[in-house]
Amino acid sequence: MKTFVLTTASALLLTSVGVGYAFHANPDKTQVSENDTEMNHQKAQVDTENMDDFLEYDTLNDVADADHFNSEIVEDNPHKRIILLKDDNGQPQFKSIFVKDTNRLKIINLHEGLEYNEIIK
């Protein structure tokens, strides 16, 4: 009888732990704040006129002649911004990676390689 009670108590304990874990770990029940969605990658078309306000724009224009390309912001979050410069056929020609925390700008010519890698002010 003692064995039966211990076995039943153990089974109930394991079942309650499993159900509790499943309830708390269920992604359908996990709350998502609005700040989490802002950290996701954003994709938006941006005209070159709107890019004038970006800190890296002047350098990007000097190195890659950004005015002659169509610009697309591939990622823009609190830590970095990635911009693709595409030709009239929609083919990417340059990639700009600006790390906001350190003000480091990398400009990559997608046909020839790295063209600029410095900290801008």
Side-chain angles (χ1 to χ4, degrees):
M1 183 65 141
K2 189 175 183 182
T3 307
F4 177 73
V5 171
L6 286 175
T7 304
T8 305
S10 297
L12 287 174
L13 179 63
L14 289 175
T15 302
S16 65
V17 169
V19 169
Y21 176 76
F23 178 75
H24 290 293
N26 188 346
D28 294 337
K29 303 291 184 195
T30 305
Q31 293 183 2
V32 177
S33 69
E34 290 181 23
N35 293 337
D36 291 342
T37 57
E38 291 175 9
M39 295 298 292
N40 290 340
H41 298 307
Q42 298 175 1
K43 193 169 188 176
Q45 291 286 343
V46 176
D47 296 331
T48 53
E49 298 170 355
N50 297 337
M51 289 181 43
D52 292 344
D53 297 335
F54 293 157
L55 183 62
E56 72 269 26
Y57 177 75
D58 290 334
T59 306
L60 181 60
N61 194 29
D62 290 342
V63 173
D65 200 14
D67 290 333
H68 295 296
F69 294 102
N70 299 320
S71 304
E72 178 183 351
I73 297 179
V74 178
E75 179 178 342
D76 191 6
N77 64 47
H79 303 289
K80 71 179 172 182
R81 178 174 28 248
I82 298 176
I83 301 172
L84 283 180
L85 298 179
K86 297 181 178 183
D87 62 12
D88 291 335
N89 296 327
Q91 298 297 315
Q93 301 297 316
F94 289 91
K95 182 177 187 177
S96 165
I97 303 170
F98 179 61
V99 180
K100 297 176 183 179
D101 299 333
T102 61
N103 283 350
R104 176 164 297 279
L105 176 62
K106 292 182 182 182
I107 300 173
I108 303 166
N109 181 328
L110 297 177
H111 301 288
E112 298 174 10
L114 185 66
E115 290 201 7
Y116 188 87
N117 183 12
E118 293 183 22
I119 295 175
I120 60 175
K121 298 189 178 6

